[in-house]
Amino acid sequence: MRRTSFAHWPCSIARTMDLLGDWWTPLVLREAGYGIKRFDEFQESLGIARNTLTDRLRRLVDEGLMEKRPYQTEPVRYDYLLTEMGRDFHKVLLAMNRWGDRWLSGEEGPPVVMYHDVCGQESHAEVVCAACGEPMTGDNTHARLGPGYPPRLAERPDVRERFTR
């Protein structure tokens, strides 16, 4: 079954899901953030099929989230390292981790806790406004059309209504 591509939708969430929307890709990025960099290490830590891991790593490299760097020549073997784009995704993983801790942890508590190296404290992610520092929530945030929204769609009355507030 062929899946719908969201790569060209006028929505950054849809485009991100198109790139990272299967369950293995964020887990590969999580492991890379934990310091895993070799194919066999990813395969062992995730228990992922080798062909699936090959596909995910190839896509992450092709899309610019990871880079391949040879560490051995006979036979050629590679480290898979996060690029700036890949490291920036860590913020998304931290937000997902926070949500999962709040809504999916049992009575025993979260399976992993985050420590902020700068202050040395156990902490969690918060989404705050870059302008004022206040928390951003669904109740106090709304979307408006941005400069990258396709003009032909922006002219539709239903679209204008959705983004007018």
Side-chain angles (χ1 to χ4, degrees), residues 48-164:
I48 185 175
R50 296 180 75 78
N51 63 324
T52 302
L53 179 58
T54 297
D55 290 344
R56 297 316 179 274
L57 289 171
R58 181 181 304 119
R59 179 98 193 263
L60 290 167
V61 169
D62 289 349
E63 296 293 339
L65 283 92
M66 298 184 90
E67 65 177 307
K68 284 171 60 170
R69 207 176 279 164
Y71 69 86
Q72 177 180 309
T73 56
E74 295 285 331
V76 178
R77 296 192 188 273
Y78 299 94
D79 282 336
Y80 291 87
L81 305 170
L82 292 169
T83 62
E84 179 182 0
M85 184 182 185
R87 289 188 302 274
D88 196 41
F89 188 73
H90 191 71
K91 297 172 201 171
V92 176
L93 294 174
L94 289 171
M96 290 172 66
N97 191 77
R98 169 67 169 154
W99 185 89
D101 286 351
R102 179 170 183 197
W103 296 105
L104 305 175
S105 290
E107 290 181 19
E108 64 279 0
V112 174
V113 294
M114 299 297 165
Y115 280 83
H116 187 224
D117 293 338
V118 174
C119 69
Q121 298 296 309
E122 181 179 318
S123 192
H124 60 267
E126 291 285 337
V127 177
V128 299
C129 174
C132 72
E134 289 295 313
M136 292 179 72
T137 68
D139 293 332
N140 68 14
T141 307
H142 68 275
R144 290 189 177 164
L145 292 178
Y149 204 89
R152 66 178 173 72
L153 293 177
E155 295 171 5
R156 290 181 17 194
D158 61 317
V159 171
R160 283 198 312 265
E161 182 179 335
R162 183 171 26 154
F163 292 107
T164 302

